[in-house]
Amino acid sequence: MGPWAILLICGIVFVETGLLVGFFLPGDSMLFTAGLLVATGALDVSLPLFAVLIFISAFAGDQVGYLIGRKAGPPIFNRPDSRFFRQEYVQKAHAFFERFGGRAVVLARFVPIVRTFVPVIAGVAHMHYRFFLLFNLMGALLWGVGVTMLGFWLGQYAWVGENIDIIFIVIVLISVLPIGFELLKASRRKPTQT
């Protein structure tokens, strides 16, 4: 896999962390798998360069999310529920932000769906920009680079390299489980027609 795969991974990281439409993307498992692929040589890129690209993508994504919240504000969150947008997601992210304050910007990186909405909520709440910038730097480093490095570290073991196909399938299945649970919950909430 060459430059296009690297650009795709960086694009997904940016969209998931910066644009409200990216909440369903599997950032954690993708970064972990990318680290494995770099370690096994399947993804042809140097680890330091890849780590820098992931860091920039994660950092820029949250910056855009913050700016969206700051400029567009509450009208974004007053939209009715749709197939891809639920008020429930906003409420979870808002409760997370209220509970952890500025640390939520870092901690949210490790919580699917919440990581997409917290930067926007920080912007809506007019979190002081310097604090947001600092927490965003820490979050991009710990999540983006940290999860990738974990995958790379595990990819150093021969057993992992020899079974990368099986590991990849397991990671994909684990990534799809939360989406499946959300779809199941949504289908149970729909009123039955008689």
Side-chain angles (χ1 to χ4, degrees):
M1 291 186 265
W4 293 111
I6 296 164
L7 287 174
L8 178 65
I9 291 167
C10 290
I12 289 172
V13 168
F14 174 81
V15 169
E16 184 186 15
T17 58
L19 305 178
L20 292 171
V21 296
F23 66 89
F24 62 90
L25 296 171
D28 298 321
S29 56
M30 183 194 62
L31 289 174
F32 183 79
T33 303
L36 284 173
L37 294 175
V38 171
T40 60
L43 189 58
D44 188 23
V45 63
S46 75
L47 181 63
L49 173 63
F50 189 60
V52 167
L53 292 173
I54 292 297
F55 173 80
I56 291 169
S57 301
F59 176 77
D62 261 23
Q63 289 299 114
V64 168
Y66 179 85
L67 291 173
I68 288 171
R70 191 82 178 221
K71 299 292 181 191
I76 293 174
F77 297 127
N78 292 333
R79 295 175 38 191
D81 283 355
S82 66
R83 185 176 197 167
F84 295 108
F85 179 83
R86 300 227 180 279
Q87 285 293 325
E88 165 190 352
Y89 301 153
V90 176
Q91 291 164 2
K92 282 182 185 177
H94 190 270
F96 193 86
F97 185 73
E98 288 293 316
R99 181 174 175 198
F100 294 105
R103 294 174 298 157
V105 176
V106 176
L107 297 173
R109 295 280 191 167
F110 298 91
V111 183
I113 298 175
V114 172
R115 84 173 126 249
T116 303
F117 291 97
V118 162
V120 180
I121 289 171
V124 169
H126 292 278
M127 180 180 187
H128 195 280
Y129 183 71
R130 285 185 186 170
F131 288 120
F132 178 80
L133 188 65
L134 176 65
F135 288 120
N136 186 18
L137 285 167
M138 287 189 296
L141 183 65
L142 292 173
W143 176 72
V145 177
V147 173
T148 304
M149 294 300 288
L150 178 62
F152 181 83
W153 177 69
L154 288 175
Q156 301 294 306
Y157 292 97
W159 183 89
V160 173
E162 294 164 4
N163 296 293
I164 192 76
D165 295 336
I166 295 168
I167 292 169
F168 182 70
I169 290 169
V170 169
I171 290 171
V172 168
L173 290 174
I174 290 171
S175 299
V176 173
L177 282 176
I179 296 169
F181 287 131
E182 287 297 323
L183 291 173
L184 184 63
K185 280 177 22 182
S187 68
R188 288 184 178 173
R189 275 184 281 204
K190 288 181 182 177
T192 56
Q193 296 182 1
T194 55

